[in-house]
Amino acid sequence: MSGHAVTAQLRPARPAARRVHSSASPRSALGIAALCVLGLAVVWALAELIPAVHLKDAVALDRFTALDRPGINGPAEFLLHLLDPALFVLWAIALVALAMAGDRPRSALAVGVVLAFAPFSADLLKPLLAHPHDHVGDAVIGAASWPSGHSTAATALALCAVLVAPPRLRRGVALLGALFVIAVGVALLILAWHMPSDVIGGILLAGLWMALAVAALRASERIRPRRLRNDRGAPAGEPGP
């Protein structure tokens, strides 16, 4: 055996923690953001400009309101009250704290931005994009209803929960988050708080903000990669989103 081979065998392996891992590109997240913008434009244009869609929106709402029963009304209202401003702030603080506890300050900042600006942007868009709705039956929705602030807030919470969840739990959190968003959307329609197009608009708007946040996280990781805790490969918190 040559001296070089013996030296190579005796040389200690470099700890995995010192290896440089390339971060994911922000391009895919920006692509999702672009699709959300396109989806928002299409949903609003169809609901505003196409008379047939006006009517189908109203018919769909009427079918959901037909499900309203005493045993359904109470749980639906309870679910929506979980998104009241005071409680929403508590959920936001909890998610930010969870990210910080996991030594993920960038994710904590992203969560704060998404949960602050997604509902705020929904409130800004409502009067700007207000349009009269058709109505079938007794349910009448006001003009300034698109996009739904409740569906925006619910989707933003669900997406932020997935972002801060440990990698091994993300699939389960994503499933629970999806069920929560669906339940909120159905509750909004059963109680006739919003049109179906309003609910879809809120989901897309929250998706837009989260996609932009993920793109920013990935870009920041490329500019300034996360530090490593030790020589055993334990990262300092910020796993790639």
Side-chain angles (χ1 to χ4, degrees):
M1 183 180 293
S2 66
H4 289 294
V6 173
T7 303
Q9 285 186 350
L10 295 178
R11 183 180 301 158
R14 179 174 295 180
R18 298 182 182 277
R19 295 174 186 170
V20 178
H21 300 279
S22 60
S23 59
S25 170
R27 290 183 180 179
S28 58
L30 290 175
I32 294 174
L35 289 176
C36 288
V37 172
L38 178 61
L40 285 165
V42 169
V43 170
W44 180 83
L46 290 175
E48 164 69 12
L49 303 176
I50 309 299
V53 178
H54 273 280
L55 181 59
K56 289 183 178 180
D57 215 14
V59 169
L61 176 63
D62 182 62
R63 290 176 179 173
F64 274 101
T65 57
L67 301 175
D68 192 3
R69 300 286 189 278
I72 294 178
N73 186 288
E77 288 187 351
F78 173 79
L79 181 65
L80 296 182
H81 284 313
L82 292 177
L83 297 170
D84 286 348
L87 286 176
F88 185 80
V89 170
L90 291 179
W91 307 140
I93 292 173
L95 290 175
V96 170
L98 183 61
M100 293 300 296
D103 196 16
R104 301 174 62 189
R106 298 178 191 178
S107 294
L109 177 60
V111 166
V113 169
V114 170
L115 295 183
F117 285 96
F120 179 69
S121 61
D123 288 339
L124 286 180
L125 288 173
K126 285 181 182 180
L128 293 176
L129 301 177
H131 61 277
H133 302 289
D134 287 347
H135 66 90
V136 175
D138 298 329
V140 178
I141 307 298
S145 66
W146 193 94
S148 164
H150 280 81
S151 65
T152 301
T155 307
L157 279 175
L159 292 174
C160 287
V162 173
L163 180 66
V164 303
R168 67 183 183 279
L169 299 179
R170 280 183 178 169
R171 287 189 178 181
V173 173
L175 177 59
L176 291 175
L179 292 175
F180 176 66
V181 172
I182 292 171
V184 167
V186 171
L188 288 169
L189 299 178
I190 290 176
L191 298 176
W193 287 19
H194 278 284
M195 305 293 291
S197 58
D198 300 339
V199 174
I200 296 172
I203 293 171
L204 290 171
L205 182 61
L208 169 61
W209 279 102
M210 178 52 69
L212 292 175
V214 169
L217 283 174
R218 291 178 176 178
S220 70
E221 180 66 21
R222 288 198 159 199
I223 295 171
R224 188 176 181 181
R226 62 185 180 273
R227 293 174 296 175
L228 300 175
R229 266 191 204 141
N230 52 45
D231 290 341
R232 294 185 179 182
E238 297 282 351

